[in-house]
């Protein structure tokens, strides 16, 4: 029996598994999935869990059930590529014939003193629950600062405004405007929404260090009851520890078929992979399906044929009634992109659930 070991049951890992199970898995292949949780968390909606507008039950997708799929729960401790063994934190070894690394990302604190110690985030289910607790415990008129004006920071700030209208909420970003990678027109729409809803956006903030009750922009102290970090991501530590060629973001550089060049039986999917587009759930899912196609072709002793991944665009929410998005080169704003985002979420839960 050959073993396909999948590390991580997020968007990429689950897309890979689902595609293989839906297309006649060879009789001599077993799939082992390793994940810390007994279900997939819908990470794109963690901002709503942190803000308290949804419960974590509504952000769970159960893993597939299949006679030749087994799930092991726990943390991955290390990966020995030469020996084709993955060690769990407990020390348990799990061998493989094919390995798919889809472990996702963690916060990147950019070596800023106090950032990891004194902030909370929305990168993991457990971390998001803790962020919700801390935000929920802030007294009326308290100060919440969100470091990072990208998609996650913007969605969290907007959702929190609807959940807690009593709080003083600010977004701190090192750029001149929020959503700096999006067109200026779209960014201006979002900043106008924040202005109308009393969310302050502060640009050109270079966080020098973080303390328990303050963020420091150089020598300037910015008071904070709770600081949420959405200031960038990086691959998880077990991937950081691998002695493999990586890009400037710490993501593993891959060959034509998403494999590690020196280890063709090892595939890397999603946020840990060096890809020609920004990390996202959509990209991870699409890549996971392509890796399934590659593996199936190799099982048939065929040369894989790939089409370039075409992303459908990006959608974001400003609370429950307004949204924004980028569809190709076209900016969309208002009620329609919010409805589209809700529809995408519904289809995702229906497909995997």
């Amino acid at each position: 029996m050959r073993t396909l070991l999948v590390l991580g049951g997020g968007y990429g890992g689950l897309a890979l598994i689902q595609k293989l199970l839906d297309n006649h898995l060879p009789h001599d292949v077993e799939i082992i999935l390793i994940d810390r949780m007994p279900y997939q968390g819908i990470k794109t909606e963690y901002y709503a869990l942190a803000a308290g507008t949804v419960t974590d039950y509504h952000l769970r997708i159960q893993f597939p059930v299949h006679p030749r799929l087994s799930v092991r729960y726990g943390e991955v401790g290390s990966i020995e590529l030469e020996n084709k063994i993955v060690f769990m934190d407990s020390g348990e070894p799990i061998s493989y014939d094919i390995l798919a690394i889809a472990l996702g990302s963690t916060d990147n604190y950019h070596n800023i003193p106090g950032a990891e110690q004194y902030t909370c985030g929305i990168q993991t289910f457990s971390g998001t629950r803790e962020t919700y607790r801390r935000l929920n415990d802030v007294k009326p008129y308290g100060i919440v600062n969100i470091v990072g004006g990208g998609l996650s920071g913007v969605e969290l700030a907007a959702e929190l405004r609807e959940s807690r209208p009593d709080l003083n909420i600010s977004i701190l970003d090192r750029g001149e405007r929020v959503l700096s990678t999006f067109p200026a027109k779209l960014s201006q729409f979002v900043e106008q929404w924040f202005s109308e809803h009393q969310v302050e956006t502060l640009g050109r903030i270079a966080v020098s260090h973080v303390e328990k009750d303050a963020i420091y922009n150089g020598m300037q102290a910015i008071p904070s009851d709770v600081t949420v970090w959405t200031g960038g991501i990086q691959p998880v530590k077990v991937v950081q520890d691998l002695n493999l060629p990586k890009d400037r973001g710490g993501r593993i550089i891959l060959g034509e078929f998403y494999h590690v060049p020196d280890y063709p039986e090892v595939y890397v999917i999603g946020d840990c992979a060096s890809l020609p587009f920004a990390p996202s759930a959509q990209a991870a899912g699409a890549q996971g399906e392509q890796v399934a196609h590659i593996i199936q072709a190799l099982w048939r002793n065929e040369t894989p044929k790939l089409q370039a991944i075409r992303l459908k665009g990006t959608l974001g929410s400003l609370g429950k009634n307004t949204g924004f998005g980028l569809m190709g080169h076209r900016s969309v704003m208002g009620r329609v992109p919010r409805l589209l985002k809700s529809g995408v979420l519904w289809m995702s839960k229906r497909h995997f659930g």
Side-chain angles (χ1 to χ4, degrees), residues 172-177 201-207 217 220:
L172 283 56
D173 195 81
R174 62 183 176 181
E176 294 186 359
R177 56 185 173 91
T201 57
L202 302 174
R204 298 183 177 179
I205 302 295
V207 178
N217 177 32
Q220 175 195 9

Side-chain angles (χ1 to χ4, degrees), residues 14-26 31 64-66 289 292 296 351-352:
L14 198 55
L16 165 64
I17 291 170
Q18 194 72 63
K19 196 75 171 178
L20 291 175
L21 295 181
D22 288 345
N23 287 276
H24 307 293
L25 189 68
I31 301 175
V65 176
H66 190 276
E289 291 189 353
Q296 288 169 331
H351 175 70
F352 287 117

Side-chain angles (χ1 to χ4, degrees), residues 128-352:
T128 304
R129 290 190 187 102
E130 173 62 16
T131 298
Y132 162 72
R133 185 194 66 78
R134 291 176 63 174
L135 291 173
N136 191 57
D137 287 347
V138 177
K139 295 179 180 179
Y141 312 115
I143 300 171
V144 173
N145 289 302
I146 298 169
V147 178
L151 185 61
S152 296
V154 163
E155 291 190 304
L156 174 59
E159 200 80 5
L160 185 60
R161 167 50 73 227
E162 293 196 349
S163 173
R164 291 289 304 272
D166 57 291
L167 296 177
N168 295 291
I169 304 170
S170 296
I171 298 178
L172 283 56
D173 195 81
R174 62 183 176 181
E176 294 186 359
R177 56 185 173 91
V178 299
L179 300 177
S180 59
T181 60
F182 287 72
K185 178 182 176 181
L186 191 151
S187 179
Q188 290 164 5
F189 171 81
V190 171
E191 291 204 342
Q192 180 62 34
W193 189 95
F194 281 139
S195 177
E196 293 171 357
H197 291 80
Q198 293 78 53
V199 174
E200 189 174 19
T201 57
L202 302 174
R204 298 183 177 179
I205 302 295
V207 178
S208 57
H209 65 285
V210 182
E211 295 184 357
K212 181 179 179 181
D213 300 316
I215 303 163
Y216 281 81
N217 177 32
M219 298 300 294
Q220 175 195 9
I222 302 172
S224 189
D225 292 309
V226 172
T227 301
V228 185
W229 193 268
T230 60
I233 60 173
Q234 61 184 338
V236 296
K237 187 176 184 303
V238 69
V239 171
Q240 295 176 33
D241 291 342
L242 289 174
N243 186 22
L244 294 172
K246 297 176 179 130
D247 63 17
R248 292 176 60 185
R251 300 174 181 90
I252 297 173
I253 296 174
L254 303 176
E256 178 184 1
F257 298 121
Y258 304 124
H259 64 279
V260 177
D262 290 338
Y263 302 93
E265 73 281 357
V266 179
Y267 299 87
V268 186
I269 301 172
D271 295 354
C272 298
S274 183
L275 301 174
F277 29 73
S280 69
Q282 183 184 169
Q287 191 202 0
E289 291 189 353
Q290 285 208 341
V291 171
H293 171 79
I294 292 165
I295 292 174
Q296 288 169 331
L298 295 176
W299 281 339
R300 296 191 299 266
N301 294 316
E302 298 173 358
T303 300
K305 297 179 181 180
L306 295 182
Q307 295 182 345
I309 292 176
R310 296 185 181 275
L311 303 181
K312 298 177 181 178
T314 302
L315 294 170
S317 66
L318 295 171
K320 300 302 183 190
N321 298 308
T322 305
F324 58 90
L326 193 60
M327 312 300 289
H329 297 291
R330 181 187 174 193
S331 297
V332 290
M333 295 159 278
R335 179 68 171 165
V336 171
R338 186 64 183 92
L339 292 172
L340 288 173
K341 187 172 189 287
S342 296
V344 170
L345 175 62
W346 180 83
M347 287 189 294
S348 176
K349 293 176 73 173
R350 185 165 181 254
H351 175 70
F352 287 117

Side-chain angles (χ1 to χ4, degrees), residues 62-121:
Q62 298 302 316
F63 291 138
V65 176
H66 190 276
R68 276 179 284 133
L69 169 65
S70 59
V71 184
R72 308 275 187 92
Y73 303 121
E75 296 277 355
V76 176
S78 62
I79 303 171
E80 288 193 3
L81 298 176
E82 293 289 347
N83 297 318
K84 297 185 179 181
I85 296 176
V86 169
F87 285 93
M88 303 295 288
D89 258 358
S90 63
E92 176 191 3
I94 302 175
S95 60
Y96 62 83
D97 297 288
I98 301 174
L99 177 66
I101 301 173
L103 288 168
S105 56
T106 186
D107 285 301
N108 187 347
Y109 299 103
H110 307 287
N111 297 315
I112 295 174
E116 183 173 5
Q117 182 179 1
Y118 294 117
T119 70
C120 51

Side-chain angles (χ1 to χ4, degrees), residues 31-49:
I31 301 175
I32 299 176
L33 168 64
I34 296 178
D35 199 276
R36 63 166 67 95
M37 303 297 291
Y39 44 76
Q40 179 198 3
I42 306 176
K43 193 173 183 179
T44 57
E45 302 298 307
Y46 282 4
Y47 70 90
L49 173 59

